[in-house]
Amino acid sequence: MGKSSGSVIVGVVFSCLALSIGESVSAVSAEWAIPQEAEALANPIAPSQESRGRGAMIFSRRCAVCHGENGRGDGPSSLSLGVRPTDLTGQAVFAQSNGRLFWKISIGRGPMPSWDVVLSEEDRWHVINYLRALPTAP
């Protein structure tokens, strides 16, 4: 196995660790610096049942290990991260723009990997449509 394929494997394994896109539970800093143009991004994929289903499938494969099957931050790997993954059903996530969520998923931070090389733009938008359909916690 070459050096680059080893890096890809390490990146994919690390990618299974987290999708921490909330605002208040990170050991890094509570606030993400989001470029203005990212904040204004609109989701080009209509939030249809098909889109949410595709997003659910991606979430289950890539995100649930940290965020849990219901998005509450209680996945099986969550205890090993050093910070609890964000509860994606919370109001802090729901209040964020689609562009902000897309940017965070794409760029990553702390234990959350950058998903822009693993997931297509279209798949990241499907995940956002799925997240928007999760029941919100009080």
Side-chain angles (χ1 to χ4, degrees), residues 57-104:
M57 181 183 67
I58 296 163
F59 184 89
S60 180
R61 289 183 185 164
R62 304 286 187 170
C63 312
V65 67
C66 294
H67 286 284
E69 285 299 322
N70 297 312
R72 300 223 178 237
D74 58 357
S77 294
S78 64
L79 297 176
S80 66
L81 296 175
V83 294
R84 182 177 173 150
T86 297
D87 178 349
L88 300 173
T89 67
Q91 289 297 319
V93 173
F94 185 76
Q96 294 177 52
S97 72
N98 287 338
R100 177 175 282 258
L101 294 176
F102 183 83
W103 191 86
K104 289 179 176 185

Side-chain angles (χ1 to χ4, degrees), residues 106-129:
S106 298
I107 301 303
R109 179 178 85 165
M112 181 178 147
S114 168
W115 288 97
D116 66 341
V117 294
V118 178
L119 297 174
S120 69
E121 284 188 29
E122 183 177 331
D123 283 347
R124 286 177 270 154
W125 287 117
H126 288 301
V127 169
I128 291 168
N129 285 339

